[in-house]
Amino acid sequence: MTYPAPVEIPTRDLFNLGGRTVLISGGAGAVGMTVGKAVLESGGDAVFVDMVPSPNEQMWKTIEQISAAQGTKAWYHQLNVTDADSVAPVFDTIRGEIRHPLRGLVACAGISGECDACDYPIDVFRKILDVNITGTFTVTQAVAKEMHRANVTGSIILIASMSGWVTNRGINTAAYNASKSAIHQLGRSLAAEFAHPQNTFPGRTPGDANPNPDGERKAYPPIRVNTLSPGHIETPIAEAAKSRGLVDEWVKQNMLGRISQKEEYRAPVLFLLADGSSYMTGADLRVDGGHCAW
Ligand SMILES: NC(=O)c1ccc[n+]([C@@H]2O[C@H](COP(=O)([O-])OP(=O)(O)OC[C@H]3O[C@@H](n4cnc5c(N)ncnc54)[C@H](O)[C@@H]3O)[C@@H](O)[C@H]2O)c1
């Protein structure tokens, strides 16, 4: 299905998210909460999901105040993105409560870990890949199915990292870096699959991943998929790095001479979610103060 270019949208509405719902995984975290707030302030409803039972009370009060003032709505649900069995029931609940179709995802849920490679416990290595790659895929799959079910277009943002492009200097995070490279490639793969039926060759070959191939594929409205790659962010996690002098090193490694604030990801997220980026898919938006350009 080829969709017409949205050329009639007034310039002032290019970042507007009115009439749609956006799901934010890792929504209780620093970046998730901040970009979720921005969604609510831009006219969208927001569903925050995270593995913690409830978000920080003070932060949620702010979310409620913002949504009340804007006439938007916010919900919170506990969801562990690596627990595939719990995804469907949570999405059943979400489907029953939202008032506008789910047309956006910001997949923020992620973990990091630092260990020298030869000492890296394999179970920890595996867990980082599981949360960051499989967990991102699991929530993306669920959101794409909802968009298909509602027959709507959508925009999916997978939060990657500049660590998917370059290795962090001064800190040994092999599993994290590998997982973020995988997010770039996952984003490109899903972008191709969700954009247009011409992108998939007809038929299916049976195999372990596809034991019961069925007939014709259905055509759905396009879903755009992009990744967003932040540089270093000043979050509570950066505190330990600060005390080791690492942050002083990091500020020398980017062109702006400072690490970023979580609020600096609001505009990139709104741009990718809204119709202003209608011709952008399969791309990575790097927001790293020039770190990777050196
Ligand atoms: N902070 C940085 O410097 C930085 C830099 C580049 C990229 N990123 C990426 O940005 C994203 C958000 O990071 P942040 O700084 O807000 O970190 P954060 O720790 O504040 O937020 C991550 C959230 O993910 C949740 N989470 C973890 N495992 C989960 C699971 N299995 N299921 C559901 N939720 C789970 C956590 O509970 C947490 O609320 C991550 O993907 C991170 O890799 C962060």
Side-chain angles (χ1 to χ4, degrees):
M1 211 178 296
T2 304
Y3 264 62
V7 289
E8 304 301 337
I9 298 176
T11 302
R12 67 172 177 278
D13 289 338
L14 290 176
F15 282 58
N16 191 320
L17 297 174
R20 62 188 89 179
T21 304
V22 176
L23 187 133
I24 300 117
S25 75
V31 173
M33 210 29 98
T34 304
V35 301
K37 258 192 254 169
V39 166
L40 293 164
E41 286 169 336
S42 300
D45 288 350
V47 181
F48 296 76
V49 300
D50 198 291
M51 69 184 298
V52 298
S54 54
N56 173 287
E57 216 173 294
Q58 194 54 45
M59 282 181 184
W60 193 251
K61 214 170 255 171
T62 310
I63 290 288
E64 286 179 332
Q65 282 163 354
I66 288 170
S67 48
Q70 300 290 330
T72 50
K73 275 187 167 291
W75 297 268
Y76 183 86
H77 292 286
Q78 185 176 18
L79 175 67
N80 179 344
V81 294
T82 62
D83 178 7
D85 293 341
S86 68
V87 171
V90 170
F91 273 74
D92 287 344
T93 307
I94 292 170
R95 194 180 312 119
E97 63 193 0
I98 56 177
R99 54 181 189 165
H100 303 305
L102 195 53
R103 291 189 53 208
L105 166 67
V106 191
C108 293
I111 54 173
S112 188
E114 175 196 357
C115 187
D116 296 0
C118 289
D119 299 328
Y120 223 122
I122 296 302
D123 57 333
V124 178
F125 193 97
R126 210 173 255 140
K127 184 176 177 198
I128 292 173
L129 302 191
D130 193 30
V131 173
N132 293 4
I133 308 176
T134 313
T136 298
F137 177 73
T138 304
V139 76
T140 303
Q141 181 189 55
V143 166
K145 282 174 159 175
E146 286 306 311
M147 291 172 179
H148 288 170
R149 185 194 281 254
N151 210 38
V152 292
T153 61
S155 173
I156 288 174
I157 307 172
L158 311 181
I159 303 295
S161 170
M162 67 174 182
S163 313
W165 288 113
V166 295
T167 288
N168 293 355
R169 210 183 293 171
I171 185 161
N172 294 334
T173 52
Y176 181 77
N177 301 349
S179 76
K180 293 300 183 177
S181 283
I183 291 300
H184 291 152
Q185 189 63 327
L186 182 66
R188 287 187 283 264
S189 307
L190 299 180
E193 204 173 315
F194 294 157
H196 196 282
Q198 72 177 6
N199 302 345
T200 303
F201 201 77
R204 293 169 169 92
T205 303
D208 284 349
N210 202 1
N212 299 305
D214 46 19
E216 283 290 290
R217 287 190 177 84
K218 279 184 76 177
Y220 295 103
I223 302 169
R224 298 183 294 111
V225 184
N226 294 287
T227 56
L228 171 58
S229 289
H232 293 296
I233 312 174
E234 177 134 17
T235 62
I237 299 166
E239 288 307 311
K242 245 186 215 172
S243 64
R244 285 162 64 193
L246 263 170
V247 173
D248 295 336
E249 283 307 308
W250 288 341
V251 302
K252 292 183 205 148
Q253 292 167 14
N254 72 65
M255 297 176 181
L256 292 176
R258 62 177 176 85
I259 65 170
S260 65
Q261 298 299 316
K262 55 193 187 314
E263 289 77 9
E264 295 184 277
Y265 300 94
R266 290 176 299 169
V269 162
L270 295 175
F271 165 65
L272 290 175
L273 283 175
D275 295 333
S277 59
S278 53
Y279 200 56
M280 191 164 169
T281 197
D284 180 58
L285 183 54
R286 223 172 53 204
V287 182
D288 66 351
H291 186 115
C292 295
W294 249 344

